[in-house]
């Protein structure tokens, strides 16, 4: 339905595993809400991600972007509601084939499940167990030490996944100390994603009982957690980074 027929010729789990073993970190994008999707799609994605080493899994609802074949088809079918606002937490901008409340609830529950501390750190550990050690080293700077201290406080002491963070850090050190910076960065990203998802998941589709409008307008920005640019991930942007390829599927 998405036209990506190349994905049908391979076992995606095996491909992710192979890429991980040669030192590439996969960031996966997943979409729900296609016409062919049923209520089982959420469990299928949940199961797939529980078995693959993809720490950062980006899940979103299908959006009919202007100028696309999808948008033109939905407009011909009388299912297009409005142009996309880019808001992944409001209603879809078209009439979905799946019952809309089923779609919204399933999406919200999937997001919650993927970004509990245990689920997120399980995926991190799966990656750590398979990946080759990062190549090269760089000189430790003062800002790196400050980042370690801030992370120890905000993630390791008061963070929602603090126990799993320390477990990941110890596990990374035992593999090789070169994995420690990666583990710290994943702790920072994870704390942001866990908090952000916990705040946003309950608001998904909150405006579905009235005329279609963007979620941001219906509730106002004060009801949405702080954006990624003002969270831990942005505060420590660029710290403890090391060259590693990222593959977008």
């Amino acid at each position: 339905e998405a036209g990506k027929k190349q994905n049908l010729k391979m076992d995606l789990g095996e491909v992710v595993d192979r890429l991980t073993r040669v030192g590439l970190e996969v960031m996966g994008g997943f979409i729900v809400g296609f016409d062919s999707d049923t209520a089982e799609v959420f469990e299928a994605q949940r199961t797939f991600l529980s078995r693959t080493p993809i720490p950062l899994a980006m899940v979103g609802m299908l959006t009919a972007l202007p100028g696309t074949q999808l948008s033109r088809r939905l407009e011909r079918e009388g299912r297009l509601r409005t142009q996309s606002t880019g808001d992944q937490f409001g209603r879809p901008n078209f009439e979905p084939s799946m019952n809309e409340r089923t779609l919204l609830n399933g999406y919200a529950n999937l997001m919650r499940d993927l970004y509990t501390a245990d689920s997120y750190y399980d995926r991190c550990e799966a990656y750590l167990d398979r990946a080759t050690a990062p190549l090269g080293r760089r000189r430790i700077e003062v800002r790196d030490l400050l980042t370690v201290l801030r992370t120890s406080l905000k993630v390791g002491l008061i963070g929602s996944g603090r126990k799993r963070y320390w477990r990941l850090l110890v596990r990374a050190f035992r593999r090789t100390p070169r994995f420690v910076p990666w583990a710290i960065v994943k702790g920072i990203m994870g704390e942001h994603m866990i908090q952000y998802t916990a705040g946003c998941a309950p608001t998904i589709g909150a405006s579905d009982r009235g005329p279609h409008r963007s979620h941001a307008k219906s509730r106002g920005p004060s009801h949405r957690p702080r954006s990624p640019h003002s969270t831990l991930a942005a505060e420590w942007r660029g710290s403890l980074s090391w060259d590693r390829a990222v593959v977008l599927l």
Side-chain angles (χ1 to χ4, degrees):
E1 189 173 341
K4 295 186 177 181
K5 296 182 179 180
Q6 70 273 17
N7 290 342
L8 301 177
K9 302 176 182 179
M10 62 189 79
D11 183 316
L12 293 181
E14 182 181 334
V15 171
V16 172
D17 195 66
R18 191 184 310 163
L19 291 169
T20 302
R21 292 185 187 282
V22 298
L24 302 176
E25 183 174 346
V26 175
M27 295 176 65
F30 302 84
I31 298 175
V32 295
F34 288 103
D35 282 356
S36 59
D37 284 346
T38 65
E40 285 72 41
V41 69
F42 309 107
E43 185 57 35
Q45 291 199 8
R46 190 180 288 109
T47 300
F48 175 80
L49 286 167
S50 71
R51 297 173 178 172
T52 52
I54 304 179
L56 295 177
M58 300 164 287
V59 182
M61 283 190 292
L62 181 66
T63 298
L65 297 174
T68 60
Q69 292 184 16
L70 174 63
S71 179
R72 290 190 289 269
R73 175 173 67 82
L74 292 172
E75 188 171 17
R76 288 194 304 269
E77 296 173 358
R79 296 168 57 194
L80 191 65
R81 291 170 171 167
T82 183
Q83 295 298 336
S84 170
T85 64
D87 183 5
Q88 279 293 306
F89 302 104
R91 295 174 68 191
N93 68 329
F94 63 95
E95 187 68 34
S97 177
M98 187 189 308
N99 174 273
E100 186 168 326
R101 180 39 56 186
T102 300
L103 172 61
L104 294 172
N105 287 343
Y107 174 49
N109 290 333
L110 178 60
M111 290 291 291
R112 287 191 190 98
D113 291 345
L114 292 180
Y115 284 102
T116 64
D118 284 335
S119 294
Y120 173 76
Y121 280 102
D122 280 348
R123 296 196 300 275
C124 289
E125 290 181 359
Y127 173 84
L128 183 62
D129 291 343
R130 292 171 173 83
T132 57
L135 300 175
R137 298 180 181 181
R138 70 177 181 84
R139 186 165 56 89
I140 297 177
E141 301 177 2
V142 173
R143 69 170 185 168
D144 297 331
L145 299 177
L146 294 176
T147 297
V148 171
L149 290 175
R150 288 200 299 269
T151 308
S152 297
L153 172 62
K154 296 186 178 182
V155 179
L157 293 181
I158 62 176
S160 54
R162 53 190 177 275
K163 291 183 180 179
R164 293 301 304 266
Y165 169 71
W166 290 115
R167 187 171 112 174
L168 179 67
L169 208 59
V170 170
R171 196 164 182 158
F173 182 81
R174 287 177 175 172
R175 273 288 319 267
T176 169
R178 284 184 290 170
F179 264 124
V180 171
W182 173 88
I184 293 173
V185 170
K186 284 298 178 284
I188 294 169
M189 292 179 173
E191 186 64 22
H192 159 65
M193 294 300 295
I194 292 167
Q195 291 185 19
Y196 193 70
T197 303
C200 287
T203 74
I204 291 175
S207 61
D208 71 325
R209 290 184 176 83
H212 185 272
R213 52 183 178 172
S214 73
H215 179 76
K217 291 181 180 179
S218 65
R219 289 178 62 87
S222 61
H223 293 274
R224 184 70 55 78
R226 298 172 68 192
S227 73
H229 298 291
S230 60
T231 58
L232 296 172
E235 180 181 347
W236 297 317
R237 183 172 56 248
S239 296
L240 291 173
S241 61
W242 39 280
D243 292 336
R244 195 170 190 85
V246 176
V247 177
L248 299 178
L249 294 184

